[in-house]
Amino acid sequence: MATISAQPYDYPLPTEGQIALVIIDMQRDFLEPGGFGESLGNDVSLLQAIVPAIQKLQAAFRDRGWPIIQTQEGHSPDLADCPPSKRERGGSGLKIGDPGPMGRILVIGEPGNGIIPELAPKPNEWVITKPGKGAFYNTGLDELLRSHQITHLLFTGVTTEVCVQTTMREANDRGYECLIVEDATESYFPDFKQATLEMIRAQGGIIGWTATVDQVLAGLG
Ligand code: TIU
């Protein structure tokens, strides 16, 4: 059986079913000044570093014609899908829905809510818009994956301990074989990223596996 060299042990590639690349929330709102990430008080410059790593995986999946799913955290313009608790919480800066330098903060269709141009999806690639941190909450993601016989998911994107980890936990509970790509995910808090990787692969891979981009590319062959 083909595997990816990983922690806590090798990740078995599917013999039946299919593997997909999941790119979480690589949006201007999280990576560029003036968006939601900065409004929460974060230094957004840290997150740019993983763009080339995700591009490598994106290219590898595109070369093979394998599925790529991107997610976008965002709310409808009337904020009907944004619980008041989410809007009221946060830093002292702009709140969800407020006008900012890249349009309304975390609102679907605004310039700041879009995926960064370096990772722009192709027309045939899937983009899931999600109101929550997890990509399975109030979306059709599970049905989409099952209808395409996708059983294995490689996770990348931001931020490691918030939307990436939440989505990976949701996927693990739904029976998907989950691996997070260590150098293709980032957090505003390096210690939180490290802790997340460790808690995912602890206890025999309680949530899943971790591996580097090079290990993934070598394993895909
Ligand atoms: N604030 C933070 O770390 N993350 C989010 O609000 N959303 C995502 O992680 N995408």
Side-chain angles (χ1 to χ4, degrees):
M1 184 195 299
T3 59
I4 291 170
S5 179
Q7 294 189 61
Y9 56 90
D10 289 353
Y11 175 80
L13 288 164
T15 49
E16 290 175 26
Q18 216 187 349
I19 190 164
L21 176 65
V22 184
I23 304 172
I24 303 276
D25 298 0
M26 290 296 286
Q27 301 165 247
R28 299 182 66 200
D29 254 314
F30 294 106
L31 278 92
E32 294 185 18
F36 183 53
E38 192 177 73
S39 80
L40 296 172
N42 297 304
D43 170 6
V44 296
S45 63
L46 273 177
L47 272 46
Q48 276 290 337
I50 59 167
V51 174
I54 299 181
Q55 284 174 320
K56 277 192 208 171
L57 294 168
Q58 204 179 31
F61 272 68
R62 282 177 178 165
D63 287 349
R64 291 165 174 79
W66 290 354
I68 301 175
I69 297 141
Q70 296 219 39
T71 67
Q72 268 179 303
E73 183 176 349
H75 296 280
S76 58
D78 63 3
L79 303 186
D81 55 1
C82 180
S85 63
K86 181 175 181 182
R87 181 171 145 76
E88 293 310 320
R89 218 177 304 153
S92 54
L94 296 170
K95 295 197 179 304
I96 295 170
D98 288 349
M102 295 192 290
R104 294 178 67 201
I105 299 287
L106 215 64
V107 169
I108 296 164
E110 298 288 337
N113 201 237
I115 291 166
I116 57 169
E118 299 95 306
L119 295 173
K122 302 268 190 208
N124 63 329
E125 294 172 0
W126 297 316
V127 179
I128 297 280
T129 301
K130 61 184 183 63
K133 302 306 181 195
F136 288 84
Y137 171 65
N138 261 357
T139 70
L141 178 58
D142 195 33
E143 294 74 16
L144 178 74
L145 297 174
R146 290 189 194 284
S147 66
H148 288 82
Q149 290 78 48
I150 294 166
T151 52
H152 289 58
L153 300 173
L154 301 186
F155 285 94
T156 66
V158 298
T159 61
T160 314
E161 78 281 10
V162 183
C163 290
V164 181
Q165 179 175 211
T166 302
T167 303
M168 190 165 170
R169 287 173 180 271
E170 289 180 326
N172 179 58
D173 281 348
R174 287 165 174 77
Y176 297 96
E177 304 287 3
C178 300
L179 180 148
I180 183 169
V181 188
E182 296 167 23
D183 44 350
T185 180
E186 195 49 90
S187 167
Y188 301 120
F189 304 88
D191 291 352
F192 290 177
K193 170 181 171 175
Q194 198 51 38
T196 302
L197 297 176
E198 287 171 20
M199 68 178 77
I200 282 170
R201 64 189 174 221
Q203 305 183 63
I206 190 83
I207 306 299
W209 287 259
T210 78
T212 64
V213 172
D214 286 347
Q215 286 174 317
V216 170
L217 294 177
L220 297 182

